[in-house]
Amino acid sequence: MTTITDNAIATPRRAVRDEMIALAVMTALLAVVPLTGVYPFFVMQGLCFALLACAFNLLIGYGGLLSFGHAMFLGTAGYVTAHALKVWGLPPELGIVLGTLAAASLGVLTGLVAIRRQGIYFAMITLALSQLLYFVYLQTPFTHGEDGIQGIPQGHLFGFINLANPNTLYYVILAGFLLGFLVIYRAINSPFGEVLKAIRENEPRAVSLGYKTDHYKLLAYILSATLAGFAGSLKVFVAQNASLTDVHWTMSGEIVLMTLVGGLGTIYGPVVGAFVIIAMQQYLAGFGQWVTVIQGVIFVVCVLTFRRGVIGEIAHYFKRSL
Amino acid sequence: MSINLQALFAQLLVGLINGSFYALLSLGLAVIFGMLNIINFAHGALYMMGAFAAYFLLNVLGIGYWWALIIAPLAVGLFGIILERTMLQWIAQLDHLYGLLLTFGLGLIIQGVFQNYFGSSGLPYAIPDELKGGVNLGFMFLPIYRGWVVVFSLVVCLATWYLIERTRLGANLRAATENPTLVRAFGINVPRMITLTYGLGVGLAALAGVLSAPINQVRPLMGADLIIVVFAVVVIGGMGSIMGSIITGFALGIVEGLTKYFYPEASNTVVFVLMVLVLLIKPSGLTGRTA
């Protein structure tokens, strides 16, 4: 069976050097954003989705598992964080911890069900599970149904960092993004990540070598869910609301699209893809449903002619790993 | 608890109708998956196109329901054949997941275009004169059109089963599913068979759309949520068996109808909950091969 990713061939040492340079460039670029006059809300939103896409990519790009329900982690963490801040009046750090934990628990529960099947079935199961969650959130009172939870106070992180200040919030979100990004980077380059890649390439062989592949897949799934939840919790401070849109299957589709555009199985692809898609939505907001059509066209074009994605193509051209 | 039989049978009938759509759609998905090895995410959008085709035939060309039952599936099936020839065939050698992503994109395009021109509200489609009214069966009042949908869907499902499991054409099809290279060596045009199979699956979805038009109104998003339920049906039943898809589809429709009566809050979610239970107890699905 052919695999879904097309990795560039690079020697390990060079790969690490390239990736470190790219990390430094990315961090520097993101750090100067507030000085450039670029609308910070847009970049913060982009960072949350970038982390979400990176978490999704950990599963598909390295584990070969296509989740079509990652919005459930985004939405669940968002709802829990929003509820904790607004109704319970908890400080931001506790809100984030609770939201992330909620997503992690959901990851454990859904993971135990979903990893029982592979490939196409895995995608359908995760989609169905997230739809189940969607209907639950539509009916439970604490989410406020169609209205969502609105007007969430941002508060002071650790009691002294004022998140209502856009510049402060920006650096907090950036720090959160980098933390999540480094966790994923570390996971990919660990022995755990190597086993994951082995499972993706040839699961029966990994089994025959004595690896309990289900454990590895479940662990990757939970890690991905947790980080996606972390992104969802951060997003609450940016958007100051939590709504059903974040749990809907269209959101799961957008996460897939971001990663596909940037490059499945590349480290920086999901980040680039997230910003491309968010920017597109921003500029085309006035065109109504044509945005959906354009997203569909991007899906089709990417699958037919551009399967490596932006970063994947660059990495392939320069024979580097990015 | 006292049981209101009238209401119970009414919900059972609604369940049977939804079950008909689940059966027709999951049958199409199973047939397509068998030959093309892709899960057709655009299935919901093509179902919606079937309903719109019936709507256009009536309101633009003045062609009524009975011709729409034939023309709409053929027209949408032809559209499917074009999709297969121009796009799907090029990704046949890739990982299955690319097929899912491609057809998801196609579904977004189709739905988005229809939403642009028709918004999200429903367009009415009248029940044909011959099927108006209802009969009192003593224990319940049966609207004739609803009874017709259930019976006709069942006939179409069984005819499809017969075509695939009992005819020479079906035998070739099943052989090509197992080993396309060998079947080609016997001089059978396998690529053409793949194209026609996709057309058949899509046509079944469009037929379900026509049947549903007088009941559920014609809406651009009518297939969007339905397809996710059908995916759950497919996971429960497994895609290995044609008869399995039909039975699972109808059975889950009935279960959903019963839930609407006994515990309406869970009617949206009962199929998904059942999917979880089946995965925990029998991961390969009720009738499926392991995948």
Side-chain angles (χ1 to χ4, degrees), chain B residues 21 50 96 101 109 111 159 229:
Chain B
F21 299 146
H96 301 349
L101 298 179
I109 296 174
Q111 252 155 31
V229 182

Side-chain angles (χ1 to χ4, degrees), chain A residues 76-160:
Chain A
T76 299
Y79 274 132
V80 171
T81 301
H83 190 77
L85 294 176
K86 194 178 177 189
V87 181
W88 295 339
L90 292 179
E93 60 275 14
L94 271 181
I96 294 175
V97 168
L98 282 180
T100 311
L101 276 179
S105 324
L106 183 65
V108 175
L109 289 177
T110 56
L112 283 170
V113 174
I115 59 153
R116 289 171 166 256
R117 301 290 285 275
Q118 278 108 51
I120 252 160
Y121 283 99
F122 181 85
M124 291 195 287
I125 292 166
T126 46
L127 176 65
L129 289 171
S130 76
Q131 186 79 347
L132 172 65
L133 256 291
Y134 175 83
F135 282 119
V136 170
Y137 288 138
L138 185 66
Q139 288 170 351
T140 46
F142 96 96
T143 62
H144 298 278
E146 306 272 356
D147 298 334
I149 307 177
Q150 292 177 352
I152 296 154
Q154 289 159 313
H156 289 72
L157 186 68
F158 303 122
F160 67 96

Side-chain angles (χ1 to χ4, degrees), chain B residues 107-164:
Chain B
L108 284 184
I109 296 174
I110 297 170
Q111 252 155 31
V113 168
F114 275 87
Q115 261 187 297
N116 257 302
Y117 291 108
F118 301 96
S120 291
S121 54
L123 302 165
Y125 186 90
I127 294 175
D129 289 334
E130 297 84 348
L131 298 174
K132 275 187 179 143
V135 283
N136 199 339
L137 299 179
F139 56 91
M140 71 174 293
F141 180 79
L142 174 73
I144 292 178
Y145 185 76
R146 293 180 176 237
W148 151 257
V149 168
V150 175
V151 173
F152 184 67
S153 305
L154 196 59
V155 169
V156 172
C157 284
L158 293 178
T160 311
W161 171 82
Y162 186 84
L163 174 75
I164 291 170

Side-chain angles (χ1 to χ4, degrees), chain A residues 15 36 108 118 144 146 150 159 195 249 276 300 313 315:
Chain A
T36 58
V108 175
Q118 278 108 51
H144 298 278
E146 306 272 356
Q150 292 177 352
V195 177
W249 58 263
V276 169
V300 171
E313 286 294 344

Side-chain angles (χ1 to χ4, degrees), chain B residues 158-270:
Chain B
L158 293 178
T160 311
W161 171 82
Y162 186 84
L163 174 75
I164 291 170
E165 300 287 341
R166 290 288 181 272
T167 64
R168 180 153 187 86
L169 181 68
N172 288 342
L173 204 78
R174 281 178 287 127
T177 305
E178 294 292 327
N179 192 338
T181 321
L182 194 62
V183 174
R184 277 182 94 154
F186 288 140
I188 291 166
N189 190 340
V190 173
R192 191 171 66 197
M193 214 146 80
I194 291 176
T195 307
L196 290 177
T197 305
Y198 191 72
L200 171 72
V202 168
L204 285 172
L207 183 71
V210 181
L211 289 173
S212 133
I215 298 178
N216 296 325
Q217 294 200 315
V218 182
R219 290 181 298 118
L221 290 179
M222 64 194 287
D225 287 343
L226 182 66
I227 191 64
I228 302 179
V229 182
V230 173
F231 278 178
V233 172
V234 163
V235 171
I236 293 171
M239 284 187 290
S241 134
I242 299 291
M243 198 47 107
S245 307
I246 300 172
I247 294 170
T248 321
F250 277 100
L252 286 173
I254 292 170
V255 171
E256 208 181 55
L258 289 175
T259 316
K260 265 197 190 113
Y261 178 78
F262 287 106
Y263 188 58
E265 291 83 359
S267 61
N268 282 330
T269 48
V270 64

Side-chain angles (χ1 to χ4, degrees), chain A residues 175-194:
Chain A
F177 164 76
L178 287 174
L179 174 69
F181 186 84
L182 288 174
V183 168
I184 292 170
Y185 183 76
R186 189 69 195 86
I188 292 168
N189 291 299
S190 68
F192 168 72
E194 295 300 326

